[in-house]
């Protein structure tokens, strides 16, 4: 079908490594998006499970995919950016999925408004679900420049669309971070610019149990958070960060 000339192209980037349990759901929700002007790039880190078969079975909806050992998620995302041709880019893990089939279509008016105002980050909410698919928590709140960057209230990453110019201006993800590289990239943009929140849309479901929910990673997350903030001349520790660490600790002990 003909796509109106002014509608933005959206690149969806998925990183997967041995993600067979959830990958099909992720790809199906992307393929069933009602918005047509999109492309899908999948970076597989050399999976040894059924992930490759799932990618082969879904090849008709994938613009580009490869399976090679990588140095972690930010390396995978950086490689994917070399293949991205969209005006806006969203990053998903293989256990994330678009919440509804019209998510992208519903986000597009906000993307157009943002572009007109020179805003390059647009985000909605994300829903954390457990393995049974039950919603545990919905995250995402209004971005307030001064308050947010000092309190560490950063938009949730799977719900976030990045204008491609962000990567032209700031470069790609810093691979020295293993867990908070997305956060550090956002700091580069948000130090001087705004983000737009679309409160009525849940963009993605996130199955809890990812890297950033794991108690063993808590110390690393704290270290990397502090490094990212030091790199950008921000307060090294914040009450929001402490609350977040306490929440991780609580979840890992009681769930």
């Amino acid at each position: 079908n003909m796509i109106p000339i002014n509608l933005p192209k959206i690149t969806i980037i998925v990183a997967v490594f041995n993600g067979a349990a959830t990958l099909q759901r992720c790809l199906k929700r992307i393929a069933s998006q009602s918005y047509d002007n999109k492309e899908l790039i999948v970076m597989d880190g050399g999976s040894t499970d059924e992930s490759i078969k799932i990618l082969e079975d879904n090849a008709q909806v994938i613009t580009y995919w490869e399976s090679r050992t990588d140095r972690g998620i930010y390396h995978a995302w950086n490689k994917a950016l070399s293949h991205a041709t969209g005006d806006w880019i969203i990053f998903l893990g293989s256990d994330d999925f678009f919440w509804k089939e019209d998510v992208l279509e519903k986000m597009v008016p906000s993307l157009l408004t943002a572009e007109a105002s020179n805003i390059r980050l647009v985000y909605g909410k994300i829903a954390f679900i457990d393995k049974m698919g039950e919603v545990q928590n919905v995250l995402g709140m209004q971005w307030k420049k001064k308050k947010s960057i000092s309190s560490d209230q950063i938009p949730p990453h799977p719900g976030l669309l990045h204008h491609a110019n962000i990567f032209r201006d700031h470069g790609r993800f810093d691979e020295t971070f293993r867990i908070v590289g997305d956060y550090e990239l956002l700091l580069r943009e948000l130090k001087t610019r705004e983000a737009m929140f679309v409160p009525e849309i849940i963009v993605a479901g996130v199955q809890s149990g990812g890297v950033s929910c794991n108690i063993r990673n808590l110390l690393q997350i704290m270290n990397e958070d502090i490094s990212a903030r030091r790199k950008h001349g921000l307060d090294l520790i914040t009450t929001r960060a402490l609350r977040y660490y306490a929440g991780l600790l609580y979840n890992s002990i009681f769930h």
Side-chain angles (χ1 to χ4, degrees), residues 123-134:
Y123 65 104
K125 294 180 169 170
I126 60 171
F128 279 98
I129 62 160
D130 60 22
K131 285 199 162 53
M132 308 306 297
E134 298 293 315

Side-chain angles (χ1 to χ4, degrees), residues 19-60:
T22 55
L23 179 59
Q24 182 61 45
R25 174 183 65 188
C26 174
L27 298 177
K28 187 172 174 226
R29 283 291 171 93
I30 294 167
S32 64
Q33 285 299 302
S34 54
Y35 188 69
D36 280 336
N37 196 9
K38 63 183 184 293
E39 64 179 3
L40 169 57
I41 296 166
V42 183
M43 288 295 179
D44 179 87
S47 291
T48 53
D49 66 358
E50 291 288 294
S51 296
I52 306 302
K53 182 174 185 331
I54 294 169
L55 293 175
E56 287 167 347
D57 291 347
N58 288 271
Q60 73 285 358

Side-chain angles (χ1 to χ4, degrees), residues 190-232:
L190 292 173
K191 274 198 303 192
T192 55
R193 299 172 75 116
E194 295 299 324
M196 180 188 288
F197 180 44
V198 187
E200 62 278 8
I201 299 178
I202 295 179
V203 174
V206 174
Q207 197 161 308
S208 51
V211 154
S212 50
C213 310
N214 186 320
I215 181 64
R216 285 192 296 274
N217 295 313
L218 183 59
L219 284 172
Q220 181 157 4
I221 292 170
M222 291 171 75
N223 274 330
E224 290 195 10
D225 271 350
I226 290 168
S227 300
R229 299 176 71 74
R230 181 179 287 125
K231 182 172 168 181
H232 294 286

Side-chain angles (χ1 to χ4, degrees), residues 179-196:
I179 301 178
V180 307
D182 43 353
Y183 168 64
E184 189 277 325
L185 180 86
L186 297 186
L187 287 181
R188 291 183 230 168
E189 173 76 356
L190 292 173
K191 274 198 303 192
T192 55
R193 299 172 75 116
E194 295 299 324
M196 180 188 288

Side-chain angles (χ1 to χ4, degrees), residues 146-207:
K146 192 153 178 47
K147 191 164 174 300
S148 297
I149 201 142
S150 60
S151 72
D152 218 4
Q153 189 60 64
I154 290 287
H157 205 248
L160 186 70
L161 287 125
H162 311 64
H163 197 280
N165 287 345
I166 286 178
F167 299 100
R168 285 188 206 123
D169 290 357
H170 298 304
R172 297 184 177 184
F173 293 98
D174 180 345
E175 285 181 43
T176 58
F177 295 98
R178 303 291 300 162
I179 301 178
V180 307
D182 43 353
Y183 168 64
E184 189 277 325
L185 180 86
L186 297 186
L187 287 181
R188 291 183 230 168
E189 173 76 356
L190 292 173
K191 274 198 303 192
T192 55
R193 299 172 75 116
E194 295 299 324
M196 180 188 288
F197 180 44
V198 187
E200 62 278 8
I201 299 178
I202 295 179
V203 174
V206 174
Q207 197 161 308

Side-chain angles (χ1 to χ4, degrees), residues 92-137:
L92 297 176
S94 58
D95 45 8
D96 306 333
F97 57 96
F98 285 130
W99 196 242
K100 294 215 164 90
E101 298 188 343
D102 60 358
V103 163
L104 293 181
E105 187 183 331
K106 285 204 159 136
M107 287 295 277
V108 162
S110 298
L111 299 181
L112 294 170
T113 307
E115 211 153 11
S117 325
N118 212 8
I119 291 174
R120 308 194 295 185
L121 288 169
V122 179
Y123 65 104
K125 294 180 169 170
I126 60 171
F128 279 98
I129 62 160
D130 60 22
K131 285 199 162 53
M132 308 306 297
E134 298 293 315
V135 176
Q136 297 176 306
N137 197 2

